[in-house]
Amino acid sequence: MWPLLPTDWPFLPLIRLYHQASDTPSGLPPTDTVGTAMRVLQWVLVLESWRPQALWAVPPAAHLARLMCVFLVDSELFRESPVQRLVAALLAQLCQPQVLPNLNLDCPLPGLTSFPDLYANFLDHFEAVSFGDHLFGALVLLPLQRRFSVTLRLTLFGEHVGALRALSLPLTQLPVSLECYTVPPEDNLALLQLYFRTLVTGALRPHWCPVLYAVAVAHVNSFIFSQDPQSSDEVKAARRSMLQKTWLLADEGLRQHLLHYKLPNSTLPEGFELYPQLPPLRQHYLQRLTSTVLQNGVSET
């Protein structure tokens, strides 16, 4: 016997709001929109808190996608204080240690053809209307964890660099551990090059975007000091070029961060600890490289 309602039935009015907003320029009157959204979010929060088994059939990724719909309905709904409080409470539920490992953004989701497509639309809307809203920013950051598809990180750093200036969520308000973003080291060369480019051009700065600044510094540092003998010639050349350019940076603060990064620490203003002096192996490697630079010039890779 087929069920009368889909598994994500508590979210249906919210999904309907999202589709109505997408199909009509004006959408519903603001009072109806706010009231409907609040009732849905309140009901889901009651179920999450008191009858979690009622939502066991709804994967955490679907919960996240439905919360994102709140922000996509229009440019004002997410600013309402009651809506903010409810979304924040549901996001906290989603980020609990016993729930977060089950968040899988690669699995098929009901009503969605592709999570990356939804995320790209989410970034478009974030750039257009967020004005640095911290809750909006927390939802932008959540899918950028290292274990999720690199496509999501490439979408932000490759196509929506302007969003970085509005991602001002403080490190202390990040709903998950910073290590979720820094471990394991990034191995996608295109993304590493985008990290480095946004850092050296000033598109990514610690006071604008503290979380992703710490993440980018961590991955670039790991990459430039990696000496994996199994790396391809292309990767070795890119690593050497990036370390050379780091050594020659005029921005002394960024140069210090990239060379002396030690490990993430979200309690510090920068989001990471620094070595007071480079470890001997790294110092020796850097000296060998810089002597080559002085002789031959900087690589163009």
Side-chain angles (χ1 to χ4, degrees), residues 86-104:
L86 289 165
V87 172
L90 288 167
L91 179 61
Q93 295 266 17
L94 191 61
C95 294
Q96 289 180 18
Q98 66 271 28
V99 178
L100 191 63
N102 297 320
L103 182 62
N104 179 5

Side-chain angles (χ1 to χ4, degrees), residues 69-109:
C69 288
V70 174
F71 295 80
L72 292 170
V73 167
D74 59 29
S75 61
E76 298 299 329
L77 175 61
F78 70 89
R79 301 184 198 281
E80 298 288 337
S81 295
V83 172
Q84 285 253 336
R85 287 194 294 269
L86 289 165
V87 172
L90 288 167
L91 179 61
Q93 295 266 17
L94 191 61
C95 294
Q96 289 180 18
Q98 66 271 28
V99 178
L100 191 63
N102 297 320
L103 182 62
N104 179 5
L105 302 182
D106 293 326
C107 66
L109 299 176

Side-chain angles (χ1 to χ4, degrees), residues 217-260:
V217 167
H219 287 302
V220 170
N221 171 271
S222 177
F223 177 67
I224 61 178
F225 284 114
S226 171
Q227 299 182 53
D228 182 1
Q230 297 182 345
S231 298
S232 67
D233 290 342
E234 178 190 11
V235 169
K236 289 177 181 176
R239 180 184 299 128
R240 185 169 56 250
S241 171
M242 201 176 289
L243 181 53
Q244 290 172 349
K245 291 172 182 175
T246 299
W247 180 64
L248 294 170
L249 277 173
D251 183 337
E252 184 57 35
L254 177 59
R255 181 178 181 273
Q256 180 82 354
H257 288 170
L258 290 176
L259 292 178
H260 289 255

Side-chain angles (χ1 to χ4, degrees), residues 179-197:
E179 285 81 355
C180 292
Y181 299 84
T182 60
V183 179
E186 182 59 62
D187 57 5
N188 183 281
L189 181 57
L191 180 58
L192 287 162
Q193 290 171 328
L194 288 171
Y195 281 159
F196 188 67
R197 181 188 304 169

